[in-house]
Structures are given as C-alpha cells and as structure tokens.
Amino acid sequence: MTIGAAFSLQNPIDTVVRQAREAHEAGVRSAWFGQTFAYDSPTLAAIVGRDVPGLQVGTAAIPVFGRHPLIVAGQAQTAQAATGGRYHLGLALGTRHLTETGFGIPYERPVARLREFLTALRALVETGSADFHGELLTATTPLPATVPGVDAPVPVLVAAMGPQALRVSGELADGILPLLAGPRALAEHIVPAVTAAAEAAGRPSPRIVAFVPGVVTDDVERVRERATEALSFYERFPSYQRVIELSGATRAVGVAAIGDEETVAAEVRRYREAGATEVVFTATDLGGEADQRRTWQLLGELAKG
C-alpha cells in the first residue's frame, strides 16, 4: 500500500518543500496539495517533486468549474515533465457556494460537466490532441498539445463520493480521492460502485486513494478538539454530510485517526481492508511539529510493511 501525506497551503514554498523532504526521508511515498484560490497546485507539486527526487506528488483536487481541459492538461503535463513522471492529477466537482461566489458561474449539471471534462482531458493527456464538442464545453487542438519530456500519460483521479460521480469516475478516470469517507462508507458504498463502473467500461480496477485526517499523538483530547474545529468546515456541504453519515459518524472528526502509533496503524489497516489501495493523511499538523514528524515516521514504517 502506498502511504502519503497532504501538506498545508498556509506556509511559504520553501517551508512546504522542507516538510515534504522530511516526510519523504521518513518513508512517506507521496505528497498531495489542495487547490484553493491561492497557490496553483500543479505548479507547487512540480516544484516539490523536482526538489525532492523520488517523491510522488499530486493535486487533490482541482474543481472542474472555472477551468478548461486544455489549460489543466497543459498544467498537468508540465508538472509530469518536471517531475519525471511522478505527478498525479486530481479533479473535483467543487461546491455550489465556492463556484458561484468565487467564479460567478452557475453550478449547473456538475456530473455532466465532469463527464465532458474527463472525456476531453483523457484525450489530451493520452494523445496530445482533442476534438471534443460537448453540450457544456469544447476542446480542440489546432496546435500541438504535447509537452516534451512526458513519457507516460498523467494519472487522472477524481474526488468522487456520490453515486453519479463514482459512475463517471469508474468509466473515465484512473481512480478516486475520497475525503472523510470512513472504512464503512468505502467498503459498503464507494469501492463497490466505482469498481463496478470500471469493470462495465472495460477499465482496470480503479485506485482508491483514501484521504484521512490523522495525527499520531499522546495528547489525544487536545488534538481531537482542534480537529473538530478544523474539520467542521466540511460539515456545511451535503456531499460530506452524506459520506460522514455513511461512515457511521455524526461529525467529521468521527472519521479522523488520532492516537498513538498502535491506534493509528490499526485505522490504516481498516482502510486497507475496506478497499483503499492508498492512504493519504491530512491535517497532520494539528498536533504541532513534533507530532507531525511522529506521524510521518509511522506512515513511513507502514509504507515499508
């Protein structure tokens, strides 16, 4: 199982690079970066991947609203070339509030947009060209769209958890990036749905990259309080409310892995048994630098075993 960590976007680039290097030296195999209205995630991933040889890097995840497949394909292929084939592109539906408030774009037919975006994007990253004319977007290449130095197509994953998004992702993507989906939700709902869709489309078994808030710490009560506050942001959105409930929890913190090494390692095993092919820990900084390094150390040990 590949074990990774997501990194905060609240730090300067040099700090992010240093943290990613420390995590990789501890044995962490992959580093993932969110997409906000600040950092450009593929650029940040390319910088980190180039400065930390051997580390897999990824974006989790770029909303399809407010972007175009031609632009995203260029960003992803540039990061892939810069890192020698170690970049992984994550896409997302985003949310109505952020889409309409930030971009002024109506949040309409998100799953249909995702399908068209993936269809055009796959052509671009696999062949370097596209001639796609859909209901919601057009992507054609009157000029070449291949980046020199890209020897393999960029893996494309989707932060999908709902039934329709899982179906589209199974048909058109290489895997999914579920966040706050506990082992129960994965095993009973998410993994069967995306796997069945991939099989029906004649595609390989999808990657299941589970994003899990997790910290190794002795101060469990303090870290859990901080996690409760930090993760409450997600509880505003129906998609996360649903997957948290399917996980058997009432709050987002209910799916967090917080405790000593034995406790957290047991949680990682539960995700593996539920069908996760990879686990990425988020929110590792909630306990402070010492706990963060301790978390990376455990993740590195689990990656070896």
Side-chain angles (χ1 to χ4, degrees), residues 94-272:
T95 69
R96 179 179 300 277
H97 173 71
L98 293 178
T99 298
E100 297 185 349
T101 302
F103 291 100
I105 299 172
Y107 191 76
E108 298 174 348
R109 302 181 65 190
V111 174
R113 179 172 292 274
L114 175 64
R115 179 179 291 280
E116 293 194 4
F117 200 103
L118 283 170
T119 301
L121 183 70
R122 289 215 69 94
L124 289 164
V125 299
E126 291 178 357
T127 70
S129 64
D131 186 17
F132 179 79
H133 302 267
E135 293 183 65
L136 303 175
L137 62 86
T138 295
T140 63
T141 48
L143 298 173
T146 301
V147 174
V150 176
D151 296 325
V154 178
V156 180
L157 304 101
V158 180
M161 295 184 291
Q164 295 183 70
L166 288 169
R167 186 180 308 114
V168 172
S169 300
E171 294 173 5
L172 296 171
D174 298 303
I176 57 171
L177 307 165
L179 169 65
L180 299 179
R184 183 192 298 179
L186 285 178
E188 297 179 3
H189 301 276
I190 292 175
V191 174
V194 71
T195 301
E199 290 177 353
R203 293 187 55 79
S205 297
R207 292 167 57 188
I208 313 295
V209 187
F211 278 67
V212 183
V215 181
V216 177
T217 183
D218 292 326
D219 196 352
V220 175
E221 184 176 346
R222 179 180 66 88
V223 173
R224 189 169 294 279
E225 288 178 357
R226 297 186 67 181
T228 299
E229 180 179 355
L231 298 174
S232 64
F233 167 80
Y234 296 100
E235 297 167 359
R236 310 175 190 177
F237 306 110
S239 58
Y240 287 109
Q241 292 171 358
R242 174 181 176 274
V243 78
I244 290 167
E245 182 178 349
L246 291 175
S247 301
T250 56
R251 300 290 305 274
V253 73
V255 298
I258 300 172
D260 61 14
E261 282 82 357
E262 183 178 355
T263 299
V264 174
E267 283 298 298
V268 172
R269 286 193 294 271
R270 290 183 64 219
Y271 278 91
R272 178 179 60 196

Side-chain angles (χ1 to χ4, degrees), residues 19-37:
Q19 291 180 334
R21 181 178 292 112
E22 290 181 11
H24 187 49
E25 289 172 351
V28 172
R29 304 291 178 82
S30 64
W32 295 79
F33 309 95
Q35 180 62 62
T36 65
F37 293 122

